Every structure is written in C-alpha cells, then in structure tokens.
Amino acid sequence: MGVATTLLPPTTSKTLQKQHLEAVGAYQYVLTFLFMGPFFSLLVFVLLFTSLWPFSVFYLVWLYVDWDTPNQGGRRSEWIRNWAIWRQLRDYYPVKLVKTAELPPDRNYVLGAHPHGIMCTGFLCNFSTESNGFSQLFPGLRPWLAVLAGLFYLPVYRDYIMSFGLCPVSRQSLDFILSQPQLGQAVVIMVGGAHEALYSVPGEHCLTLQKRKGFVRLALRHGGPPHPCPPAPPPHRGGSQSLSRPLHDGPGAALRGAQGKLWGPRFHLPHLHLGLAAAFR
C-alpha cells in the first residue's frame, strides 16, 4: 500500500483565533457524528404528529425511492469534501497524510486500514475530505471509506455521509464500486470493524483480524492474484487510541463484556469513553 495517516502532537505556535477555529471544526465533527443521526430520526417521527407532517411523509417517500443509492455509489459532493472546516479539524490534532509509494490509477485498490479507533478522525480527514489533498497526492484515484451499513438507515444523516464518499461495508456496495468501468477506485476498509473500537485504549495498539477475510476475497474477485504488501505500509492512523479513555478496564472487565455480548460485533456502544475525542488531545 502507499499511504499512511498519522495523528501528530499539536503545535503551540497558533493564534488564539486559529485555536478557536480548530476547536469549532473538531466539535462540529464530534457532535455531528454522535447526534445528527438520532436527532433527525426523532425529528422525522415527531413531525408526523404535527401540522408539518407532509414534510415527514415527503421525506419518507423519498427515502423509500432512494433506499438503494448507498449501495450504488451514493452521491459524492466535491463541494462538501472541500469545506474549509475540515482543514480546521485536520489542524486541531493535527492529522497528516504521508505518501510512501506511488499508486497508479490504472487499477483498483482495496486498502485495509487500522486501527478503527472511536470516530475514525484520521481516515475521514484523509480519505473522505480533501483537507490533506488526497487527489493531489494520488491523481486519478477516487477514495471510498467503507463504514457500517446501519448508518445509512438514519434519515438525513445518510445523505450527509454519502456526500463524503462513504459507502456501506457490504458485498453489494463494494462490488458495485469495484466493478465500475473507470479504474482508480480505492476502497478503504477498516478491517477490524466497529468491534475494534472497543479496544481503543491509550498506550495500546490492538487489532481485530481473526476471521476478517472478506476484504481478501473482495480483492481477489476484482484485482488479480494476491501479492505481499510492498514496503509501504497500509493506511495506518497512529495515535488514535490516545484520543479518549474507555470506561471499562480492558477485555475482561464487566462493562467491556456487556458491550460485546449485548451488541455483538456489528452493533454496540463504542462511545462509552471518558471525554469527547475532540476535547482530549
């Protein structure tokens, strides 16, 4: 692989205005990530019992008609991907995109990324926005960040995340993208999945790889013979585990066990951490 994504130590030579702008960018991302989906889901439901019910009905009809769009490439918006607020989010931590090898655009790529972390801040900055100039570093490549399919069930939020180039991490969705006649599709898959977020502990680097072979089969279906990774590392987001501290004390803790058993590997509560990621550098 040819990219590495890193969270670097923050610098202190920033004006007060710059620090405030970065904090706005970080909190915007965190609050949107946590609350936008539930808020609009509740809003659509509540409006059904008010005089504004036609708005909810209209959107639900649109949602029915548009249901398969996430599995068919979504609706990417280069305008949203280039918002200035993403550069503020990048600078807050800061996040850096390191090019370690050329990735020719005459083929497709399945990139296994790690670690998942809590909110995938580094991966979002580097692959779902142009805050670090991915298109300039890798001309001809079209990045896609594969995330939980359940996120695309949330009203309005689904449209918002589709604009970044996010897609469901499902066979139907990924096969559609990698089967496009235009080469240069680069699908980024966080191999450990959301389950890996439960192991985001400062000072530790835990990967969930056992029985995670679907991305290998996907690459074989669309890319030719497998080969060892070249000297360049796969997409990696160093420092992400230190952005928050979990409430549980490790894999054997009662709360950690409850999260794993009650919610399973696909749906759980990865946000039972002390402090928002944006407030913890």
Side-chain angles (χ1 to χ4, degrees):
M1 309 302 179
V3 292
T5 170
T6 312
L7 292 173
L8 302 175
T11 59
T12 56
S13 57
K14 297 178 181 179
T15 66
L16 186 60
Q17 181 184 21
K18 174 63 174 172
Q19 293 179 31
H20 288 164
L21 289 174
E22 291 176 5
V24 169
Y27 276 104
Q28 178 271 341
Y29 173 61
V30 171
L31 296 177
T32 299
F33 182 91
L34 294 177
F35 301 116
M36 185 176 180
F39 171 78
F40 279 103
S41 298
L42 181 62
L43 181 64
V44 169
F45 176 76
V46 170
L47 288 182
L48 288 172
F49 303 94
T50 70
S51 59
L52 299 177
W53 64 266
F55 289 97
S56 288
V57 172
F58 176 80
Y59 183 82
L60 290 174
V61 171
W62 160 254
L63 186 63
Y64 176 79
V65 173
D66 193 59
W67 190 254
D68 288 332
T69 298
N71 291 317
Q72 298 174 353
R75 281 186 298 273
R76 179 189 297 252
S77 170
E78 293 302 325
W79 175 64
I80 293 179
R81 285 170 55 87
N82 282 278
W83 277 356
I85 198 168
W86 307 129
R87 294 191 290 274
Q88 305 300 336
L89 173 64
R90 172 202 65 190
D91 293 341
Y92 180 85
Y93 290 103
V95 179
K96 185 177 181 181
L97 178 62
V98 180
K99 182 176 182 178
T100 57
E102 293 291 341
L103 297 180
D106 60 351
R107 68 199 70 176
N108 294 330
Y109 296 89
V110 176
L111 306 177
H114 67 88
H116 186 285
I118 302 302
M119 288 182 288
C120 316
T121 309
F123 296 135
L124 177 121
C125 286
N126 287 330
F127 302 114
S128 298
T129 76
E130 288 294 330
S131 60
N132 273 323
F134 181 92
S135 297
Q136 284 70 46
L137 288 173
F138 301 97
L141 291 190
R142 188 177 177 86
W144 303 85
L145 185 60
V147 299
L148 278 174
L151 296 177
F152 295 90
Y153 300 156
L154 300 174
V156 181
Y157 187 64
R158 67 190 290 275
D159 303 284
Y160 179 68
I161 62 177
M162 277 195 290
S163 66
F164 297 112
L166 270 63
C167 65
V169 61
S170 65
R171 176 169 180 170
Q172 178 185 358
S173 171
L174 301 181
D175 281 343
F176 180 90
I177 292 172
L178 295 173
S179 298
Q180 296 302 300
Q182 180 182 358
L183 297 177
Q185 311 294 333
V187 175
V188 181
I189 300 176
M190 287 162 281
V191 179
H195 189 266
E196 194 174 80
L198 296 174
Y199 297 93
S200 294
V201 179
E204 298 183 9
H205 192 125
C206 300
L207 304 181
T208 303
L209 295 175
Q210 188 175 12
K211 299 181 180 180
R212 304 282 174 149
K213 303 180 179 66
F215 71 103
V216 177
R217 292 192 293 269
L218 178 71
L220 290 174
R221 286 200 304 272
H222 294 281
H227 56 83
C229 291
H236 173 265
R237 184 167 53 106
S240 59
Q241 302 90 337
S242 299
L243 294 181
S244 57
R245 182 161 61 90
L247 289 175
H248 58 71
D249 295 321
L255 181 57
R256 165 64 183 86
Q259 284 182 279
K261 291 180 180 180
L262 292 178
W263 298 87
R266 293 182 182 273
F267 298 96
H268 51 74
L269 295 176
H271 304 300
L272 292 179
H273 286 66
L274 293 180
L276 294 176
F280 192 104
R281 297 192 192 224

